[in-house]
C-alpha cells in the first residue's frame, strides 16, 4: 500500500511548537497551578518545572529600535524567549527566577512599564485606525497612547477591584472586542456616504455596491443618463461597508465624526454570564492628538469604579448592582434619547452564557 508523501509547503506561519520554551513544551497540558508574584509577574508550575513571565507594556505600532531592545533583553535574561500577547503586551519567559529583578530594572531604565496582570488594566486591544483602515472614524493607535498615558498607574499597580479590560474600535464594524470589554471606545461616523455619481460608474460595480449594505439602504438609480446609486439616509447606519467596495462613496467627515464610550461588557463566565457593553456617552469630539475629552471621560469611569465597586466585581457587575440610573448620577454623564434601547429582542435571543439550562 502506497504511503502518502509528506506535504512540504512554505505557505502559512511555522508551527508554534518550534518557538515554545523548553519548560512550556515539557509541561504542555500538565500545568498544576499558577501564581502572581507582583504587578506584571506570573509563574506557572508543572511537574517538569516552573516558568516565570514578566509582562512589559508595548504599543501595537513599534519601531525596529524597539524590537532590537526587546530582543536584546530576551537574549540577556530569558534565553531569547518572549511573546506578544493578544493585547500587545510583551511577555519575557524566564527559566531562572533570579533574572526577574534585573530584567524589571532594565525595562524601567528603557522607559517601559511592567504590569497589566491581576487587578489592573492590561494594555488596550485596538483596531487599525487612520494608519491602515479606510473606514475609520478615529485613530485607534493615537487614542490608545493617550488613554494609557492617563491610566499608567492602573497598569503598574494592582489597586482595582478586579481586572479591567479596555478596547478601542475605530468604527462600528468593531474589529476590536469593544462589545465585550469593561470600557469600550468606539469611533463613529454620523453622516451617510457622499455619492460621487461622476466617478462611480467607472470605479464601482452597481450590484456589488447595492449588496454591500446590511440595511438595504442603497438602490440603483440614473442621473443624467449615468447609472449610479442613491442612499436612503433613514436606513444608513454609517458602517462604511459601501465605501469598502466602492471608493466613490467616501464616508469620512472630520467635522462630524467622533467617539462614543460604552461600558459593562465582559467575556468571562465567572460569577455572572458574559455581558455586552452598553452606551454610556453617545458622542465626544474627535480631538487629536491628545483627545482630552475622551481621556477625561475614561479616567472618570475608571476612578469611579475603583472607588465604589466591591472586590472581584467587574465594571458591568458593579453597575448592575447599583443600577444604571445611579451610575449616570455618580458619573455625571447626561442621559439622552440615544441611551434608550429599542432593540428589545437581543437579550432573549442571544445565547450569552455557557451555563447549561434544563
Amino acid at each position: 500500500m502506497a504511503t502518502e508523501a509528506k506535504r512540504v509547503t512554505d505557505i502559512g506561519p511555522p508551527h508554534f511548537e518550534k518557538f515554545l520554551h523548553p519548560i512550556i513544551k515539557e509541561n504542555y497540558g500538565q500545568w498544576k497551578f499558577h501564581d502572581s508574584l507582583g504587578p506584571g509577574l506570573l509563574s506557572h508550575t508543572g511537574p517538569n518545572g516552573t516558568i516565570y513571565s514578566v509582562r512589559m507594556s508595548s504599543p501595537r505600532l513599534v519601531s525596529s529600535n524597539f524590537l532590537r531592545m526587546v530582543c536584546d533583553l530576551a537574549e540577556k535574561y530569558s534565553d531569547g524567549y518572549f511573546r506578544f500577547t493578544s493585547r500587545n503586551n510583551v511577555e519575557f519567559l524566564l527559566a531562572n527566577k533570579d533574572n526577574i529583578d534585573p530584567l524589571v530594572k532594565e525595562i524601567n531604565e528603557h522607559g517601559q512599564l511592567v504590569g497589566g496582570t491581576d487587578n489592573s488594566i492590561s494594555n488596550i486591544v485596538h483596531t487599525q485606525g487612520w494608519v491602515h483602515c479606510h473606514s475609520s472614524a478615529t485613530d485607534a493607535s493615537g487614542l490608545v497612547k493617550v488613554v494609557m498615558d492617563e491610566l499608567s498607574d492602573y497598569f503598574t499597580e494592582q489597586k482595582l477591584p478586579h481586572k479591567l479590560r479596555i478596547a478601542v474600535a475605530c468604527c462600528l464594524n468593531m474589529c476590536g472586542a469593544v462589545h465585550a470589554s469593561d470600557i469600550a471606545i468606539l469611533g463613529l461616523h454620523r453622516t451617510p456616504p457622499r455619492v460621487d455619481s461622476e466617478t462611480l460608474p467607472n470605479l464601482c460595480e452597481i450590484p456589488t455596491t447595492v449588496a454591500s449594505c446590511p440595511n438595504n439602504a442603497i438602490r440603483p438609480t440614473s442621473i443624467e443618463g449615468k447609472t449610479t446609486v442613491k442612499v436612503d439616509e433613514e436606513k444608513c447606519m454609517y458602517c462604511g461597508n459601501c465605501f469598502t467596495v466602492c471608493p466613490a462613496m467616501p464616508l469620512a467627515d472630520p467635522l462630524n465624526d467622533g467617539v462614543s464610550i460604552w461600558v459593562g461588557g465582559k467575556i468571562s463566565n465567572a460569577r455572572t454570564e458574559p455581558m455586552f457593553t452598553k452606551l454610556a456617552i453617545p458622542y465626544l469630539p474627535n480631538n487629536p492628538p491628545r483627545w482630552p475629552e475622551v481621556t477625561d471621560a475614561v479616567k472618570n469611569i475608571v476612578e469611579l469604579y475603583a472607588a465604589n465597586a466591591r472586590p472581584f466585581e467587574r465594571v458591568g457587575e458593579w453597575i448592575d448592582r447599583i443600577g444604571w440610573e445611579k451610575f449616570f448620577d455618580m458619573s455625571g454623564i447626561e442621559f439622552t434619547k440615544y441611551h434608550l434601547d429599542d432593540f428589545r429582542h437581543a437579550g432573549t435571543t442571544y445565547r450569552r452564557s455557557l451555563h447549561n439550562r434544563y
Side-chain angles (χ1 to χ4, degrees), residues 87 162-165 177 179-182 264-277 305 312-317 320 351-355:
R87 287 185 173 268
H162 202 346
K163 62 183 177 182
L164 194 150
R165 298 292 180 258
H179 62 290
S181 294
D182 295 285
K266 73 184 185 83
I267 296 175
S268 167
N269 209 38
R271 300 173 306 283
T272 56
E273 64 184 11
M275 301 175 176
F276 286 130
T277 51
Y305 164 68
F312 305 109
E313 271 186 334
R314 298 288 292 271
V315 171
E317 294 168 335
D320 275 354
R351 181 173 176 81
R352 295 173 295 169
S353 172
L354 295 177
H355 294 127

Side-chain angles (χ1 to χ4, degrees), residues 14 51 58 86 94 102 104 106 122-123 166 174 183 201 243 284 292 308 311 349-350 355:
I51 188 82
S58 162
S86 59
L94 286 67
V104 172
E106 194 159 341
S122 188
N123 210 352
I166 303 177
M174 300 198 300
I183 300 175
F243 182 57
L284 291 170
N308 295 281
T349 55
Y350 292 161
H355 294 127

Side-chain angles (χ1 to χ4, degrees), residues 137 188 190-191 194 251-258 283-286:
L188 72 161
R190 299 196 301 167
T191 52
R194 303 177 297 279
L251 189 67
D253 183 350
L255 295 179
N256 286 289
D257 292 346
Y283 175 79
L284 291 170
N286 211 4

Side-chain angles (χ1 to χ4, degrees), residues 13-254:
H15 199 282
F16 69 93
E17 282 189 357
K18 292 181 180 179
F19 305 104
L20 288 181
H21 192 289
I23 293 179
I24 295 178
K25 191 177 293 186
E26 292 172 8
N27 288 290
Y28 208 86
Q30 306 176 70
W31 297 105
K32 291 183 175 179
F33 62 89
H34 67 274
D35 199 4
S36 174
L37 308 179
L41 309 177
L42 299 171
S43 69
H44 291 78
T45 301
N48 299 305
T50 300
I51 188 82
Y52 302 93
S53 302
V54 175
R55 181 176 296 180
M56 182 183 81
S57 63
S58 162
R60 182 170 174 175
L61 304 176
V62 298
S63 68
S64 55
N65 287 337
F66 181 87
L67 289 175
R68 289 190 188 98
M69 182 267 289
V70 172
C71 292
D72 288 343
L73 291 175
E75 292 286 347
K76 189 173 180 179
Y77 295 106
S78 61
D79 303 317
Y81 289 96
F82 70 96
R83 72 186 188 104
F84 284 90
T85 71
S86 59
R87 287 185 173 268
N88 315 315
N89 300 293
V90 175
E91 281 192 355
F92 297 93
L93 305 170
L94 286 67
N96 186 357
K97 188 177 182 180
D98 295 336
N99 284 343
I100 293 178
D101 289 340
L103 172 58
V104 172
K105 181 182 178 183
E106 194 159 341
I107 289 173
N108 291 330
E109 289 173 352
H110 282 286
Q112 305 299 322
L113 304 177
V114 173
T117 56
D118 290 341
N119 294 12
S120 62
I121 294 177
S122 188
N123 210 352
I124 299 176
V125 64
H126 65 93
T127 54
Q128 303 286 351
W130 289 331
V131 174
H132 178 74
C133 182
H134 61 279
S135 64
S136 63
T138 188
D139 179 34
S141 301
L143 263 176
V144 167
K145 164 63 178 169
V146 297
V147 171
M148 285 304 291
D149 281 351
E150 288 292 326
L151 302 177
S152 59
D153 287 347
Y154 292 100
F155 179 86
T156 56
E157 301 177 35
Q158 297 174 336
K159 56 184 180 181
L160 290 170
H162 202 346
K163 62 183 177 182
L164 194 150
R165 298 292 180 258
I166 303 177
V168 173
C170 52
C171 77
L172 57 74
N173 287 306
M174 300 198 300
C175 304
V178 296
H179 62 290
S181 294
D182 295 285
I183 300 175
I185 304 169
L186 175 63
L188 72 161
H189 299 286
R190 299 196 301 167
T191 52
R194 303 177 297 279
V195 180
D196 183 355
S197 295
E198 287 294 322
T199 59
L200 188 143
N202 299 325
L203 291 175
C204 314
E205 291 183 346
I206 301 297
T208 305
T209 305
V210 171
S212 69
C213 181
N215 269 6
N216 202 24
I218 300 176
R219 283 280 184 267
T221 188
S222 177
I223 297 178
E224 297 179 353
K226 290 186 177 181
T227 302
T228 181
V229 299
K230 61 180 179 181
V231 178
D232 184 345
E233 297 186 5
E234 293 295 322
K235 292 183 176 179
C236 179
M237 63 177 189
Y238 321 129
C239 66
N241 280 357
C242 53
F243 182 57
T244 300
V245 301
C246 180
M249 299 182 69
L251 189 67
D253 183 350

